[in-house]
Amino acid sequence: MVNLLVTLNSTYIKPLKIMLKSLFINNKEVRFNIYLMHSRLNDDEIEDLNNYIQSHESLLHVIYIDDNCFANAPILLHYTKEMYYRLLAFKFLPQDMDRILYLDPDILVINPVNELYNIDINDYLYGAAYHDKTTIKEINKLRLYPYEIDAYYNSGVLLMNLDNQRKLIDEETIYQFVQENRTKLIMPDQDILNALYGKKIKALDEKLYNYDARYYRYYKIMSGGEWDMDQVINNTVILHFCGKKKPWHKNYSGVFHSLYKHYEKLAFKTI
Amino acid sequence: MVNLLVTLNSTYIKPLKIMLKSLFINNKEVRFNIYLMHSRLNDDEIEDLNNYIQSHESLLHVIYIDDNCFANAPILLHYTKEMYYRLLAFKFLPQDMDRILYLDPDILVINPVNELYNIDINDYLYGAAYHDKTTIKEINKLRLYPYEIDAYYNSGVLLMNLDNQRKLIDEETIYQFVQENRTKLIMPDQDILNALYGKKIKALDEKLYNYDARYYRYYKIMSGGEWDMDQVINNTVILHFCGKKKPWHKNYSGVFHSLYKHYEKLAFKTI
């Protein structure tokens, strides 16, 4: 069994199902324990998701977060408390669980996840990838100064060492950081992750485990042509549709648009 | 059972398998009688194809064309006698077969073919689609003058009425046409089809049954936005990678590149 964590509001149910479909199709021998943290889904939505996941021989576990859960958490303009879910998930997951893979819903899983899931992160809190475009890295370094940042990890794919998190992460530190840096934070959960825990993250290969779907040409050029479409389709595990333009929006265009729509069709076809 | 015709030399075995994979995946309840006309495949290649097709619960029928078959046929520079295969296939297919669908190998079949296969072509020789870009049509009209051409049909997808073909098509007429127009012919089989039999072709909707993968933007604009990626993925049956740049070549780029490589992976994965 592979443990999977997702956090969600109802506008993301559709992409979540597409992400899960791609995961199921490309991991036919694996069953998943899927933990869903949410505060706003209704019973019908939950039941629908439950049926969907069970029909693929995996299990849904719902973690409902009520208003008291993050009572002390500072709130930022434009952000809800959902920004804390993935960082503090270890508090709500079974206490004997040692490992879980968190995935954003704006993802396609196009190859088996077993190697990713089993990466050695014994000495870390997380496994994650940073997107190695120089400009991004430099901007974030400056922005989060004086916190030292070697890399700016993307929080959309997080392999979590829950044992270590229970020992080393506490919510008060996080709340305090947010309080003190509220004007600086742009992508709060990601900023927290990097500023507070960046040194305890094992760097994963982004081209395999968090491929930014916007940068096909960039990856191809930077790898001297090696990472062409063949390479991506056969080796990349996680294709991440980062940024504001999403492949389920009207008028999206991008190199992986047709592939995304293909999985979308599979996710919703009735036959 | 659906009858399918393909004609092939060995450089196209790989795309043929990809085309067939897409056909099988999207037509799970259908079994196919696949007729392969060839003159140059070796025994290993045939056996490999046979195993591949049988593993998908369909049947391969090999029609070997030896040098005597088209003994009287005029030959054009740069073209082999294979250009006659699809036009004269009716002579080599079982004489009680009334209908067959010819497909080029540079195709993905991304939805069920049953509606296409069952289109009424009682009063025609073929069902085919023309690519409705004005420039293409006008150029071909001029080029094939004095033969009258309303549309220039693409010969990559041909639904064949074999009964009518046996009555109305004869090879001497074709050979004579080629002889008389040898300097004019650019895409010989397609030119013959249009000049000699254009009036007896039932026009099919190209966006459904012969979607030119190069013209995504064109189709989208000309349809007032209706034919977006959603529409293609959910409704187009035949996606045709026309032109010199093919999606199995290095350095191809195109809107359906990722989708093609996805099917390519499925066609060749061993697990």
Side-chain angles (χ1 to χ4, degrees):
Chain A
M1 293 289 273
V2 162
N3 300 319
L4 190 78
L5 173 65
V6 293
T7 67
L8 191 77
N9 63 50
S10 52
T11 61
Y12 271 73
I13 290 181
K14 184 177 160 182
L16 175 68
K17 281 180 160 179
I18 299 167
M19 184 273 272
L20 290 176
K21 188 70 182 188
S22 68
L23 177 75
F24 294 142
I25 285 180
N26 294 304
N27 292 273
K28 288 223 171 88
E29 331 69 47
V30 184
R31 294 182 181 198
F32 294 90
N33 270 317
I34 299 173
Y35 291 83
L36 168 69
M37 287 176 77
H38 82 97
S39 60
R40 290 188 281 176
L41 300 187
N42 64 39
D43 289 352
D44 288 348
E45 290 166 335
I46 297 281
E47 196 191 329
D48 174 58
L49 258 181
N50 192 36
N51 291 338
Y52 186 75
I53 289 168
Q54 284 193 3
S55 75
H56 292 89
E57 288 164 46
S58 283
L59 283 176
L60 176 66
H61 307 264
V62 177
I63 302 174
Y64 174 71
I65 305 292
D66 72 19
D67 288 345
N68 301 321
C69 288
F70 297 106
N72 307 327
I75 302 217
L76 295 176
L77 205 64
H78 302 310
Y79 291 94
T80 65
K81 288 185 177 176
E82 280 151 17
M83 68 186 239
Y84 297 109
Y85 286 7
R86 78 189 81 177
L87 291 169
L88 296 173
F90 68 89
K91 297 184 57 165
F92 301 90
L93 291 165
Q95 291 303 301
D96 59 345
M97 185 183 287
D98 60 343
R99 173 178 296 239
I100 197 166
L101 176 63
Y102 168 83
L103 294 180
D104 271 353
D106 56 348
I107 271 174
L108 288 179
V109 182
I110 61 173
N111 276 300
V113 294
N114 55 321
E115 280 189 30
L116 166 60
Y117 191 72
N118 291 309
I119 284 174
D120 180 354
I121 49 168
N122 285 341
D123 300 328
Y124 301 90
L125 291 168
Y126 304 95
Y130 55 90
H131 292 148
D132 196 19
K133 291 197 83 164
T134 323
T135 47
I136 298 174
K137 209 161 55 183
E138 295 308 316
I139 289 168
N140 287 314
K141 249 187 204 177
L142 291 172
R143 197 165 59 77
L144 294 178
Y145 179 84
Y147 294 88
E148 274 180 55
I149 307 254
D150 296 327
Y152 185 74
Y153 290 96
N154 180 281
S155 64
V157 179
L158 294 174
L159 182 62
M160 297 185 170
N161 182 329
L162 297 172
D163 289 335
N164 287 352
Q165 290 184 13
R166 285 182 203 105
K167 289 179 211 147
L168 298 173
I169 297 181
D170 79 292
E171 54 191 299
E172 292 309 323
T173 311
I174 291 176
Y175 297 162
Q176 196 185 331
F177 172 82
V178 173
Q179 205 57 275
E180 288 170 2
N181 296 278
R182 49 193 321 143
T183 57
K184 285 185 188 176
L185 303 180
I186 294 180
M187 293 167 286
D189 56 341
Q190 204 157 265
D191 289 346
I192 299 165
L193 181 80
N194 281 281
L196 293 182
Y197 308 113
K199 305 283 182 199
K200 299 293 278 175
I201 298 176
K202 172 148 183 170
L204 308 180
D205 184 341
E206 62 174 318
K207 296 196 291 307
L208 292 174
Y209 300 127
N210 197 338
Y211 185 106
D212 188 328
R214 293 171 297 182
Y215 299 133
Y216 173 70
R217 270 160 235 275
Y218 173 81
Y219 290 129
K220 194 174 164 195
I221 291 165
M222 294 304 282
S223 65
E226 189 196 342
W227 277 81
D228 61 3
M229 189 58 79
D230 249 323
Q231 193 78 5
V232 177
I233 294 294
N234 286 291
N235 294 287
T236 292
V237 178
I238 310 276
L239 196 55
H240 190 177
F241 294 84
C242 303
K244 283 200 180 142
K245 293 178 183 168
K246 299 300 187 192
W248 57 88
H249 291 160
K250 269 282 187 223
N251 294 318
Y252 176 83
S253 72
V255 182
F256 299 100
H257 193 194
S258 58
L259 186 68
Y260 191 87
K261 285 289 166 185
H262 168 75
Y263 279 108
E264 181 176 320
K265 178 174 78 170
L266 297 181
F268 296 105
K269 78 172 176 187
T270 44
I271 312 160
Chain B
M1 292 290 270
V2 163
N3 299 319
L4 190 79
L5 173 65
V6 293
T7 67
L8 190 78
N9 63 51
S10 52
T11 61
Y12 271 73
I13 290 182
K14 183 178 161 182
L16 175 68
K17 282 180 162 180
I18 299 168
M19 184 273 272
L20 290 176
K21 187 72 181 187
S22 67
L23 177 75
F24 295 142
I25 285 181
N26 293 303
N27 292 273
K28 287 222 170 91
E29 331 69 46
V30 184
R31 293 180 182 201
F32 294 89
N33 269 317
I34 299 173
Y35 291 83
L36 168 69
M37 288 177 76
H38 81 97
S39 60
R40 289 189 279 176
L41 300 188
N42 65 39
D43 288 351
D44 288 348
E45 290 166 334
I46 297 281
E47 196 191 329
D48 174 57
L49 258 181
N50 193 35
N51 292 339
Y52 187 74
I53 288 168
Q54 284 191 5
S55 75
H56 292 89
E57 288 162 48
S58 284
L59 284 175
L60 177 66
H61 307 264
V62 177
I63 302 173
Y64 175 72
I65 305 292
D66 72 20
D67 288 346
N68 301 321
C69 287
F70 297 105
N72 307 327
I75 302 215
L76 295 175
L77 205 64
H78 304 309
Y79 291 94
T80 65
K81 289 185 177 177
E82 281 151 17
M83 70 187 233
Y84 297 109
Y85 286 8
R86 75 190 82 175
L87 291 168
L88 296 172
F90 68 90
K91 297 184 58 165
F92 301 91
L93 291 166
Q95 292 301 299
D96 59 345
M97 185 183 288
D98 61 344
R99 174 178 295 240
I100 197 165
L101 176 63
Y102 168 83
L103 294 180
D104 269 354
D106 56 349
I107 272 175
L108 288 180
V109 182
I110 61 172
N111 277 300
V113 295
N114 55 319
E115 280 189 30
L116 166 59
Y117 191 73
N118 291 309
I119 283 174
D120 179 354
I121 49 168
N122 285 343
D123 300 329
Y124 301 90
L125 292 169
Y126 304 94
Y130 55 91
H131 292 148
D132 196 21
K133 291 197 84 164
T134 324
T135 48
I136 298 174
K137 210 162 53 183
E138 296 307 317
I139 289 168
N140 287 314
K141 250 187 204 177
L142 292 172
R143 195 165 59 79
L144 294 178
Y145 180 85
Y147 293 89
E148 275 179 53
I149 305 242
D150 296 327
Y152 185 74
Y153 290 96
N154 180 282
S155 64
V157 179
L158 294 174
L159 181 63
M160 297 184 169
N161 181 329
L162 297 173
D163 288 335
N164 287 351
Q165 290 184 15
R166 285 182 202 104
K167 289 177 212 151
L168 299 172
I169 298 180
D170 79 293
E171 55 191 298
E172 292 309 324
T173 311
I174 290 175
Y175 297 163
Q176 197 185 329
F177 172 84
V178 172
Q179 205 56 274
E180 289 170 3
N181 297 278
R182 48 193 321 142
T183 57
K184 284 185 188 176
L185 302 180
I186 294 179
M187 294 166 287
D189 55 340
Q190 204 158 267
D191 289 347
I192 299 165
L193 180 80
N194 280 281
L196 293 182
Y197 308 113
K199 306 283 183 198
K200 299 292 278 176
I201 298 176
K202 171 148 183 169
L204 307 181
D205 183 343
E206 62 174 315
K207 295 195 292 309
L208 292 174
Y209 301 127
N210 198 337
Y211 184 107
D212 188 328
R214 292 171 297 181
Y215 299 134
Y216 173 70
R217 270 160 236 273
Y218 173 81
Y219 289 128
K220 194 175 164 194
I221 290 165
M222 294 304 281
S223 65
E226 189 195 341
W227 277 82
D228 60 3
M229 189 57 80
D230 249 321
Q231 193 78 5
V232 177
I233 295 294
N234 287 291
N235 293 287
T236 292
V237 177
I238 310 275
L239 196 57
H240 191 178
F241 293 84
C242 303
K244 282 198 180 144
K245 294 179 183 166
K246 299 301 188 192
W248 58 88
H249 292 160
K250 270 278 187 228
N251 293 319
Y252 177 83
S253 70
V255 182
F256 299 100
H257 193 194
S258 58
L259 185 68
Y260 191 87
K261 285 289 166 185
H262 168 77
Y263 279 108
E264 181 175 322
K265 178 174 77 171
L266 297 181
F268 296 105
K269 77 173 177 185
T270 45
I271 311 159

